Amino acid sequence: MSPAIEVIHLTKTYKTNHSPAVADLNLTVETGEIFGLLGPNGAGKSTTLECILGTRKADSGTVSVLGLNPKSQRRKLYEEVGVQFQEGSYQDRITVKEICEETECLYKTYDDYRLLLEKFNLSHKLTSPVNELSGGERQRLSIILALIPRPKLVFLDELTTGLDTYARKEVWEILKELKKQGLTIFLTSHFMDEIEILCDRIGILKIGNLIFTGTVEEAKKVSGQESLENAYLWFTGELKEELEHESI
């Protein structure tokens, strides 16, 4: 089976920076897996995601998503892909029902948004204006909108930011069930417990360079750390800084 995402020698440099935002990145995400991309702020996660989706042009390298070129075949690709971004902007006073119906209209095939609202515990907000939802409710709605087109692959950016502990666990269970149904999930997160519970494999970015790919257990083994959090800090060079700070 072909990979869901294949990135080869991807490089992107902005005019304002001397160093590449992403440097010669090679990455493969297998069909049916949950892959987590980690890295400090400014490491290149957003640039990588944008280049994969074709919303930003890379300087060099190739990207294939579901066997399609995200630049030249974007319209066809977006029939198969769902995207949830951390920050979403909506029309003033638009309701949950209206934004879900508008999203449905963009696709030939789609899932019943009412069932998704029920699954994510938002049915009671059907007629509420989106701008009156809490941060956690808006985050759940953004995930629902990404799932409406019945995608083969979904991109989730900081998916449980703003959710309480119970809501986070609910979302995790839903995503694990969707994976069982064949959905491929590419996510970014700063929550190590979330990564450990959900991800089959992870990638760690540092200053535009992909410095590790593998399983959580492999990350712990290579770093010699017992926890994923410390393994992540070891790879990014922050563990030493943290230990030095504690010793002061």
Side-chain angles (χ1 to χ4, degrees), residues 6-92:
E6 190 170 28
V7 180
I8 302 173
H9 299 308
L10 179 71
T11 297
K12 175 64 182 178
T13 303
Y14 297 106
K15 292 180 179 179
T16 53
N17 295 334
H18 296 295
S19 301
V22 177
D24 197 33
L25 186 145
N26 294 283
L27 177 66
T28 298
V29 176
E30 300 297 338
T31 300
E33 78 171 335
I34 300 180
F35 185 91
L37 186 64
L38 314 180
N41 292 335
K45 298 190 301 297
S46 295
T47 298
T48 298
L49 186 59
E50 290 166 357
C51 289
I52 289 174
L53 288 168
T55 57
R56 189 174 296 279
K57 185 178 179 181
D59 298 330
S60 60
T62 60
V63 177
S64 173
V65 182
L66 301 178
L68 300 171
N69 184 315
K71 291 295 291 184
S72 61
Q73 298 174 289
R74 187 183 303 178
R75 183 171 182 176
K76 186 175 181 181
L77 175 62
Y78 275 62
E79 289 286 340
E80 309 287 348
V81 168
V83 182
Q84 169 264 330
F85 290 113
Q86 189 176 356
E87 297 295 335
S89 57
Y90 303 96
Q91 297 164 254
D92 188 38

Side-chain angles (χ1 to χ4, degrees), residues 129-182:
V130 174
N131 60 9
E132 292 183 6
L133 300 181
S134 68
E137 289 168 343
R138 285 169 67 99
Q139 190 73 348
R140 277 181 282 160
L141 176 61
S142 68
I143 298 171
I144 289 168
L145 297 178
L147 294 174
I148 282 177
R150 202 180 298 164
K152 295 178 181 177
L153 166 65
V154 65
F155 292 86
L156 303 173
D157 185 21
E158 301 292 344
L159 75 156
T160 61
T161 297
L163 302 187
D164 60 32
T165 300
Y166 180 75
R168 289 178 72 216
K169 290 183 177 180
E170 278 191 320
V171 170
W172 294 345
E173 291 305 312
I174 293 168
L175 294 180
K176 286 192 283 188
E177 183 58 36
L178 290 170
K179 181 202 166 187
K180 288 180 183 177
Q181 297 171 17

Side-chain angles (χ1 to χ4, degrees), residues 206-225:
K206 179 182 179 182
I207 320 175
N209 294 280
L210 189 65
I211 56 176
F212 173 82
T213 54
T215 66
V216 168
E217 290 306 313
E218 288 169 343
K220 293 178 185 177
K221 184 176 180 179
V222 170
S223 65
Q225 304 299 318

